[in-house]
Amino acid sequence: MKDAERKMQFLFALRSKGVTDARVLSAMEKIDRGAFIKGLFEARTYEDMPLPITCGQTISQPSVVGIMTQALKVQPRDKVLEVGTGSGYQAAILSQLARRVYTVDRYSRLVRDAEAVFRKLDLTNITAITTDGSHGLPEQAPFDRIIVTAAAEDPPGPLLAQMKIGGIMVLPVGQEQAVQSLIKVVRHETGYDYEELRPVRFVPLLEGLGKE
């Protein structure tokens, strides 16, 4: 199958799963998921499924990346924090929509690998940092948008505190073995609004730095 045809099918699959935002679809068309997948699984780049990457992590299925990105409602002037760099695919999508993306991961190897892909794709508005993401990134706070790509039992307090008023955070909550929910949190002057979006499965959000 030709690349153009494969890409059309990929975008059609995203739309059929509920990814309808034109800016998000355009970003996902522009950023080739194949750049973030190496080895055995390259042939499955355009399938709507999660795939394993190093350090026991996964690259999320494209429709989930699309749904989470769409729910964030990223604006062109926004500063975004991503907790859980993983392959770097989600940060690359966000880089097309936001002014600045900070992405953090507990595994330095994942951060190094992602940075190499960002350089190759000339994505200059992403800063990748090895740190414990459960604490957020206080030195760059507050953020317009926060996205978490690992499941916590509750939205972590430090991340809630690092949201701007009017800011949005999208994250999975729940225990690893149980069904998790993708939720959207909006910060107001007086507190936070929570909305459940859909059931999901993510790796757990762990504290501390990962052993390579």
Side-chain angles (χ1 to χ4, degrees):
M1 194 189 292
K2 293 191 192 71
D3 271 1
E5 212 174 305
R6 212 183 264 137
K7 203 147 239 188
M8 267 175 63
Q9 284 195 353
F10 178 72
L11 292 169
F12 179 75
L14 289 174
R15 283 196 192 91
S16 68
K17 296 278 175 69
V19 184
T20 54
D21 183 288
R23 287 179 70 232
V24 173
L25 285 166
S26 168
M28 294 187 76
E29 183 176 13
K30 198 167 166 200
I31 298 293
D32 184 4
R33 190 179 185 230
F36 300 88
I37 298 169
K38 297 180 187 77
L40 287 176
F41 296 98
E42 281 180 46
R44 312 191 84 163
T45 290
Y46 296 108
E47 292 179 31
D48 192 34
M49 61 190 299
L51 296 170
I53 57 171
T54 49
C55 301
Q57 305 300 297
T58 55
I59 178 169
S60 295
Q61 67 194 82
S63 61
V64 171
V65 170
I67 293 285
M68 290 179 80
T69 307
Q70 185 168 273
L72 268 187
K73 293 186 170 7
V74 179
Q75 303 303 309
R77 300 294 305 153
D78 283 353
K79 180 166 70 168
V80 181
L81 171 65
E82 178 195 30
V83 177
T85 307
S87 68
Y89 178 57
Q90 174 73 73
I93 300 289
L94 292 167
S95 77
Q96 305 299 296
L97 303 167
R99 176 174 59 88
R100 186 97 219 137
V101 178
Y102 290 89
T103 180
V104 301
D105 204 289
R106 60 198 295 269
Y107 291 103
S108 59
R109 181 178 172 186
L110 290 177
V111 169
R112 282 196 308 274
D113 288 354
E115 281 180 318
V117 184
F118 300 153
R119 278 195 298 275
K120 198 166 133 196
L121 299 179
D122 199 26
L123 304 176
T124 54
N125 62 338
I126 306 175
T127 302
I129 299 165
T130 306
T131 187
D132 178 351
S134 61
H135 299 301
L137 202 58
E139 61 272 29
Q140 293 296 340
F143 295 95
D144 301 285
R145 302 289 186 265
I146 298 178
I147 186 168
V148 186
T149 58
E153 290 193 28
D154 296 296
L159 298 184
L160 290 170
Q162 288 171 35
M163 294 169 71
K164 276 189 184 166
I165 304 296
I168 296 172
M169 173 160 62
V170 174
L171 77 164
V173 294
Q175 294 171 334
E176 189 183 3
Q177 307 306 333
V179 173
Q180 302 157 355
S181 274
L182 189 62
I183 66 165
K184 176 177 174 176
V185 186
V186 181
R187 184 172 192 180
H188 300 290
E189 296 275 1
T190 51
Y192 301 88
D193 275 352
Y194 297 84
E195 181 191 345
E196 276 194 41
L197 301 176
R198 56 178 282 171
V200 286
R201 286 299 294 268
F202 275 85
V203 296
L205 181 66
L206 301 173
E207 291 197 7
L209 293 181
K211 303 229 178 339
E212 298 295 299

